[in-house]
Amino acid sequence: MTDTPSLPDLIDMQIRTTGPMSVATYMGLCLTHPTKGYYKTADPLGVAGDFVTAPEISQMFGELIGFFFVNLWQQMGSPKEFTLLELGPGRGTLMADILRVACRADGFRDGLDLRLFETNPTLIAEQNARLEAYGAKWIDGFDKVGPGPLLVVANEFFDALPIRQFVRTEDGWHERMVGTNNGKRVFGLNPTPIPASAMPETLAGAELNAVLEVGLASGEVMNRLANTISTQGGAILAVDYGYARTQTGETLQGVRRHQYADVLDAPGEVDLSAHVDFEALGTVATKAGLAVQPLATQGQFLTRMGINERTSALIAANASAAADLSASKARLVGPDQMGNLFKAFCAASPGLQPPGFE
């Protein structure tokens, strides 16, 4: 009986068979291959994993998002049936913190239909351990939600969706591809240029070797969710690192055990991500009929939601934890830490006034 080929071998075999693959195809295989992808095989979170997310830093992050969703739910008239959906719920820490706060509101728990979009069996088990009491349901498609209003939270989800990359050369834009050379995975360019009409007019004057990243997968996810919300009511809150306006610049990166890693090395063992183009997401949401709020930094959003007051209250209840609580708050909102790097994006049904946004 022969051993099953590793993911690197499968990728190299596909390149040899069908030729170089797009960066998006490569990312998709690395992250979500059905049995060997990064998000299919292990728990990447925490000190022992590859990265730490905001909910793992402090309960305050999730609690304030809980207040955010209660506020919107009440603005909608406290519907007796609604779906709360989290995309990429990690260990379930964020949702547990959200619901600990939100379910204090009369009627919220009774109307709650909790859905989680997750494919990692290890993480699903952890999510279930934290959220079983809320009757969570795991889904593998964005159309599998109830008929009532839809509230969506996505923390560090869109950055992990595959992107395509295009590079400006003297004869136009060419798509960047992943191929092999002397047995090693390397980047190259598709020899056929992209028609100028297919590229944004704002990039007509881009300099040589400029890189444009396009998140088609992110746009498709936003389109499906926004169309559902447009019909059923609700909102989507996404917190991620990214930029407010479509721009050139390469942001694709690999992280392994809290250190940067070569994106072409060890497929399936390295977390791959890219900055989110929030302008592109907003355009999709607007076309679907939603109202897109002015983009906020994570620091602005959490401050407007009351993180200073929440920190003071927790310190008053547990003075011995004052230093840790203050340090956690600083990490979440500090301009030189996560405060400016991460952005808060919200698209909602017209008429709603999402808190935390100006």
Side-chain angles (χ1 to χ4, degrees):
M1 183 175 179
T2 59
D3 292 335
T4 304
S6 67
L7 184 57
D9 288 342
L10 288 172
I11 289 174
D12 294 346
M13 192 183 311
Q14 182 170 327
I15 292 172
R16 287 195 300 270
T17 304
T18 61
M21 63 179 63
S22 69
V23 172
T25 298
Y26 176 76
M27 283 185 71
L29 288 170
C30 289
L31 297 177
T32 59
H33 182 277
T35 58
K36 303 175 187 296
Y38 179 81
Y39 284 114
K40 295 284 189 176
T41 57
D43 179 354
L45 299 170
V47 175
D50 292 323
F51 55 90
V52 176
T53 61
E56 307 289 332
I57 293 171
S58 172
Q59 68 187 62
M60 294 185 288
F61 182 80
E63 289 173 345
L64 295 173
I65 291 178
F67 288 126
F68 172 87
F69 281 119
V70 165
N71 183 294
L72 287 181
W73 175 73
Q74 291 173 337
Q75 286 186 47
M76 293 188 293
S78 305
K80 298 187 182 302
E81 182 180 4
F82 69 98
T83 297
L84 178 57
L85 167 65
E86 183 174 2
L87 310 181
R91 293 172 172 169
T93 306
L94 173 58
M95 186 54 70
D97 291 339
I98 288 173
L99 294 178
R100 186 175 60 254
V101 166
C103 289
R104 294 175 185 167
D106 289 342
F108 192 95
R109 173 78 177 269
D110 295 335
L112 173 66
D113 178 9
L114 179 60
R115 309 273 175 136
L116 304 171
F117 180 79
E118 180 61 70
T119 59
N120 183 317
T122 301
L123 292 179
I124 288 175
E126 293 202 46
Q127 293 158 17
N128 187 54
R130 286 181 169 86
L131 302 169
E132 185 177 14
Y134 298 100
K137 303 180 186 72
W138 284 264
I139 62 174
D140 58 5
F142 301 109
D143 54 341
K144 297 178 180 178
V145 298
L150 173 62
L151 300 173
V152 184
V153 60
N155 181 59
E156 292 199 53
F157 174 80
F158 285 100
D159 68 278
L161 296 181
I163 60 162
R164 296 174 70 184
Q165 288 187 325
F166 300 90
V167 180
R168 177 69 184 268
T169 70
E170 290 185 353
D171 67 337
W173 292 90
H174 293 254
E175 182 162 13
R176 179 175 279 170
M177 311 294 284
V178 177
T180 57
N181 185 26
N182 294 325
K184 287 193 64 176
R185 269 164 254 111
V186 295
F187 285 119
L189 297 180
N190 187 315
T192 305
I194 303 297
S197 59
M199 303 303 291
E201 291 184 11
T202 54
L203 300 179
E207 60 187 27
L208 287 178
N209 300 316
V211 177
L212 174 68
E213 296 177 336
V214 179
L216 295 180
S218 293
E220 178 60 25
V221 171
M222 178 58 68
N223 183 57
R224 293 187 184 187
L225 293 171
N227 278 306
T228 299
I229 293 170
S230 181
T231 301
Q232 299 176 199
I236 177 169
L237 172 69
V239 181
D240 226 316
Y241 54 87
Y243 37 88
R245 296 284 179 266
T246 299
Q247 62 188 46
T248 58
E250 184 173 3
T251 69
L252 177 64
Q253 66 180 25
V255 173
R256 189 179 191 186
R257 300 189 182 97
H258 303 273
Q259 301 291 328
Y260 289 113
D262 190 318
V263 299
L264 296 179
D265 286 346
E269 298 178 31
V270 176
D271 174 44
L272 302 181
S273 64
H275 284 214
V276 178
D277 182 347
F278 287 108
E279 181 178 29
L281 291 185
T283 297
V284 173
T286 299
K287 286 182 179 178
L290 301 189
V292 176
Q293 307 304 305
L295 194 69
T297 66
Q298 177 173 294
Q300 290 171 330
F301 174 73
L302 293 177
T303 300
R304 293 167 185 164
M305 290 303 302
I307 195 170
N308 293 329
E309 295 78 4
R310 183 59 180 150
T311 303
S312 297
L314 289 173
I315 290 174
N318 186 5
S320 63
D324 288 341
L325 287 165
S326 296
S328 296
K329 185 192 79 169
R331 189 169 176 187
L332 290 174
V333 305
D336 57 343
Q337 298 196 54
M338 297 177 75
N340 284 355
L341 175 63
F342 284 77
K343 310 296 192 299
F345 168 96
C346 181
S349 298
L352 293 180
Q353 296 180 319
F357 295 89
E358 292 185 338

